[in-house]
């Protein structure tokens, strides 16, 4: 089972460093929560997250969502 959002590393920014090859450019793609069925029981196999992919080596890793700050927060 994939980590829950509170266990994902925080969003590392637009200019992030790949944890595999240290390149400083990665694509970001939003991924919805994935639902699975085991018999008649519905579950979630992965929570919503940001999937990062290194431009150089194609290594992929997940990070937590980065919602905008709310006014007054």
């Amino acid at each position: 089972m994939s980590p829950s959002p509170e266990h994902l590393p925080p969003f590392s920014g637009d200019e992030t460093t790949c944890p595999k090859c240290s390149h400083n450019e990665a694509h970001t793609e939003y991924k919805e929560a994935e639902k699975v069925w085991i018999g008649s029981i519905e579950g979630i196999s992965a929570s919503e997250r940001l999937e990062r992919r290194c431009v150089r080596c194609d290594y992929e890793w997940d990070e937590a969502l980065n919602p905008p700050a709310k006014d007054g927060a």
Side-chain angles (χ1 to χ4, degrees):
M1 198 177 258
S2 293
S4 61
E6 58 272 5
H7 293 103
L8 289 173
F11 177 67
S12 57
D14 292 328
E15 295 181 23
T16 189
T17 301
C18 173
K20 184 95 170 173
C21 75
S22 298
H23 189 65
N24 62 356
E25 187 179 357
H27 294 292
T28 306
E29 185 176 343
Y30 169 77
K31 296 290 187 173
E32 292 185 8
E34 298 169 4
K35 294 182 180 179
V36 295
W37 288 88
I38 301 171
S40 61
I41 300 172
E42 179 183 11
I44 296 178
S45 66
S47 57
E48 63 181 340
R49 64 209 181 276
L50 297 176
E51 182 182 89
R52 309 299 303 268
R53 184 175 50 80
C54 178
V55 172
R56 178 173 26 195
C57 72
D58 277 341
Y59 179 73
E60 291 181 357
W61 68 98
D62 291 338
E63 294 181 348
L65 301 181
N66 189 34
K70 294 182 180 182
D71 291 343

